[in-house]
Amino acid sequence: MRSPPRATLAAAALLPLVLAACAATQVTLTDGGKAVRVGASLADAKGCDPIGRIAAYSTNTRQDIEQQRTMNAQNRAAELGANLVVPGQATLMTIGGREFDAFRCPL
């Protein structure tokens, strides 16, 4: 009886590691991200200074994809000094992302 090819054995050995890595990629809010509000529309940004546009992506996990995108945007906005994000049109949805506009609003 022939032994399985080495490549097959290597792939079988790596499979549990790959699956574990995928399961561990859930997004969590940073402390800064927790302070970033999510607006429903650009009207929520009245009186705020625009900071920029953020492209937020999701990974393929069990966590809700839209929630992941929003949390990624909140975390990135906090890094930029913004305290409000507003989801933009779903122009990047086909590749797993969404654009958010980031703003710094008076407290």
Side-chain angles (χ1 to χ4, degrees):
M1 183 153 123
R2 281 183 38 197
S3 298
R6 286 186 183 189
T8 302
L9 291 174
L14 289 176
L15 183 60
L17 296 174
V18 171
L19 293 175
C22 290
T25 57
Q26 289 203 329
V27 177
T28 57
L29 281 175
T30 61
D31 287 339
K34 290 175 185 175
V36 176
R37 294 182 300 121
V38 179
S41 72
L42 290 176
D44 293 329
K46 185 174 181 169
C48 302
D49 295 323
I51 299 296
R53 182 160 286 161
I54 298 168
Y57 296 89
S58 62
T59 57
N60 189 11
T61 68
R62 294 181 186 192
Q63 189 175 18
D64 178 79
I65 291 172
E66 194 59 34
Q67 178 188 27
Q68 237 183 39
R69 290 181 188 129
T70 301
M71 290 168 55
N72 277 328
Q74 288 174 275
N75 290 342
R76 181 68 182 125
E79 292 171 6
L80 297 173
N83 58 7
L84 172 73
V85 291
V86 178
Q89 297 218 357
T91 56
L92 301 174
M93 294 293 278
T94 57
I95 56 172
R98 177 183 284 275
E99 290 183 338
F100 289 78
D101 292 307
F103 300 90
R104 184 176 301 122
C105 303
L107 299 176

